[in-house]
Amino acid sequence: MALVNTRDLLCHAYDNHYAVGAFEVVNLEFLRAVIYAAEQARSPVILNVVEPHFDMFDAELLMPAVLAAAKRSSVPVAVSMDHCESVASVQSAIRLGCNVVMFDSSHEELPRNIERTREAVKLAHGCGVPVEGELGHVAGMSPRDGEGNQPVQTSASEAKVYVERSGVDFLAISIGTVHGQANGKKRLDYSRLSRINESVGIPLVIHGGTGLSDQQYHKLIDNGVAKINYFTALADKFVTTLGKNVLQKEVAYRGLMAGSHEAMVTEVSRVMQAWRSAGRAAEVLIQCGMWNNVEHVVVYDSDETDPAVIQIMLRKGQQKLVTIPGVLDVRIGRAKDDTSRYRYCWLVRLAHEEVIEVCKSHPTYMEYMKNDFSPVAGQVITNDYEILDEHELMRQMRT
Ligand code: 13P
């Protein structure tokens, strides 16, 4: 698995003056093209799923494919949920497997933005997941933008206060970009960018990455931008190719799609070169920590003779434990061999090792253990196992 710790990844980009692309993925075509291009360019990449676009796809169906692509990839990958609007959506993004979240409260006044973002940071950090916050407002993403919600440029002095008080790891800033194609050239305020960078000293993020020149990208990166979000240009390549095929009177699926994969791959590769992330995969894999899930394993037996009592205890556990932040999945098992000393097990998949303590000290966990599990279970063995991928195994063998 080449899922890497996103904090390590973006700090590496920030320190080494390149930017990692966060390419929005709305279907399998986009996913396949972005991963293929990243592997060809040997570039780290962020696969970005965008909450305000949930009307375009089923996130519960798309996310397993995104994670599968990340895990089998030979280049470092992070999986992000973009523009989470509530703490509940941050929790569900983590449960879906994201290892970085963007929390967007940028339409609120500074104190309220800080307060809401701090809550999201508390939950995400408890799960080991870093958070990107936004200060100022990049227009064109929120449905509110249609109702006169104008872009607001980020103030450097407010940025310092926002970062210190909210605890965000990365800061999305507004210095002249908008989401999507702009009318005319996007004009960027580099002196504002440089002041923000000096005042916060953490990786900066540009939303609305479409439609900038290479020179503009370079100036952004030279002034602290370590992540660039990208969608519209990619979508335009896809749709334009399909449009051309329609004009050629292609109506069958294969003919209609012809060339669309290549068009997207070319575009992703082009910006990976411009953002200087191309060719960085190997050093990132060596220098950045991996993102490994943990399996909390409980094997136990019970003297209870009424199967209904055990059933109720198991059902309750499945329903309750999965509501704890950072718990990805709760499975129960029964030994095939009925004479086994430990006939039952729980397999509780946790997002990251930091969730172990959060989970065990969570009131839901403690109440369940005390009131439901312990009265029924007899002998119990528990252990937490880090799920090791190929890269982690190689790394551990080297050290
Ligand atoms: P563009 O659509 O302008 O590339 O911006 C994408 C974005 O910022 C998603 O958050």
Side-chain angles (χ1 to χ4, degrees):
M1 142 160 48
L3 259 179
V4 289
N5 181 309
T6 318
R7 197 179 283 115
D8 291 354
L9 172 62
L10 290 184
C11 288
H12 185 268
Y14 185 69
D15 292 344
N16 291 281
H17 308 291
Y18 67 94
V20 184
F23 298 93
E24 182 173 346
V25 168
V26 291
N27 62 28
L28 292 185
E29 301 307 325
F30 280 65
L31 177 58
R32 192 166 71 98
V34 171
I35 281 287
Y36 183 82
E39 292 200 309
Q40 291 293 303
R42 306 310 303 158
S43 170
V45 68
I46 298 175
L47 301 172
N48 199 21
V49 178
V50 179
E51 186 177 291
H53 289 171
F54 277 7
D55 58 333
M56 291 203 269
F57 53 86
D58 183 332
E60 298 256 346
L61 287 181
L62 184 60
M63 275 300 295
V66 170
L67 289 172
K71 285 174 190 173
R72 78 172 192 191
S73 155
S74 62
V75 294
V77 183
V79 175
S80 158
M81 186 66 75
D82 205 11
H83 295 282
C84 292
E85 289 225 336
S86 66
V87 174
S89 50
V90 167
Q91 183 172 341
S92 91
I94 294 170
R95 193 170 67 75
L96 286 171
C98 293
N99 68 344
V100 56
V101 291
M102 188 268 180
F103 184 74
D104 186 1
S105 195
S106 60
H107 54 283
E108 306 275 9
E109 293 295 324
L110 180 66
R112 182 78 182 125
N113 188 357
I114 291 174
E115 182 185 282
R116 294 192 68 227
T117 307
R118 193 168 47 208
E119 240 187 284
V121 167
K122 187 171 172 221
L123 182 133
H125 281 185
C127 303
V129 172
V131 178
E132 172 189 329
E134 179 168 326
L135 184 69
H137 182 64
V138 179
M141 176 58 72
S142 161
R144 295 180 202 91
D145 292 338
E147 299 154 19
N149 215 8
Q150 294 300 315
V152 179
Q153 299 229 331
T154 308
S155 137
S157 54
E158 287 187 1
K160 188 171 165 52
V161 175
Y162 173 81
V163 168
E164 279 172 5
R165 300 209 181 143
S166 67
V168 292
D169 305 272
F170 323 118
L171 180 66
I173 51 166
S174 174
I175 55 155
T177 59
V178 290
H179 289 99
Q181 300 284 10
N183 290 330
K185 197 174 173 202
K186 295 182 182 177
R187 302 207 168 278
L188 307 182
D189 186 341
Y190 299 110
S191 79
R192 182 181 291 273
L193 171 62
S194 156
R195 276 181 278 123
I196 298 170
N197 188 30
E198 262 173 42
S199 66
V200 300
I202 60 170
L204 301 176
V205 180
I206 284 294
H207 284 242
T210 286
L212 304 178
S213 67
D214 283 5
Q215 198 191 18
Q216 286 178 307
Y217 290 135
H218 293 159
K219 279 192 177 171
L220 291 174
I221 293 165
D222 290 344
N223 285 288
V225 169
K227 171 175 176 272
I228 299 177
N229 285 22
Y230 209 66
F231 174 60
T232 305
L234 209 52
D236 288 352
K237 293 284 175 199
F238 182 67
V239 171
T240 308
T241 310
L242 265 57
K244 280 187 191 151
N245 290 338
V246 170
L247 289 176
Q248 300 291 321
K249 308 256 183 294
E250 291 288 356
V251 284
Y253 180 76
R254 194 182 283 276
L256 191 62
M257 299 296 282
S260 58
H261 173 74
E262 292 75 9
M264 285 199 285
V265 168
T266 304
E267 180 59 12
V268 174
S269 310
R270 183 185 76 77
V271 291
M272 283 175 164
Q273 297 294 338
W275 300 344
R276 306 185 186 127
S277 66
R280 298 271 186 181
E283 65 190 280
V284 168
L285 282 172
I286 290 168
Q287 292 176 35
C288 298
M290 293 292 134
W291 180 261
N292 294 326
N293 294 156
V294 165
E295 196 84 84
H296 175 61
V297 179
V298 182
V299 292
Y300 62 101
D301 206 33
S302 173
D303 294 333
E304 177 57 58
T305 50
D306 182 355
V309 174
I310 296 196
Q311 281 286 327
I312 291 167
M313 181 270 286
L314 293 175
R315 283 267 161 275
K316 268 195 184 172
Q318 274 199 307
Q319 284 162 1
K320 288 185 176 184
L321 298 182
V322 84
T323 66
I324 298 171
V327 172
L328 306 183
D329 189 26
V330 179
R331 281 167 297 153
I332 48 184
R334 195 191 152 100
K336 294 292 285 175
D337 176 1
D338 223 21
T339 63
S340 166
R341 185 158 172 207
Y342 299 96
R343 286 175 298 160
Y344 305 99
C345 76
W346 287 100
L347 300 172
V348 183
R349 182 66 64 101
L350 308 176
H352 191 252
E353 63 184 8
E354 297 199 24
V355 182
I356 297 171
E357 280 322 306
V358 172
C359 181
K360 285 181 187 164
S361 57
H362 196 278
T364 303
Y365 184 89
M366 294 199 301
E367 270 170 38
Y368 174 73
M369 289 313 249
K370 182 162 164 256
N371 300 334
D372 301 289
F373 182 73
S374 299
V376 176
Q379 291 201 41
V380 180
I381 299 177
T382 64
N383 221 341
D384 298 297
Y385 296 90
E386 185 175 17
I387 309 297
L388 297 181
D389 63 73
E390 202 184 313
H391 293 288
E392 192 62 29
L393 270 177
M394 298 280 280
R395 186 201 294 254
Q396 294 198 1
M397 275 162 64
R398 276 198 298 266
T399 53

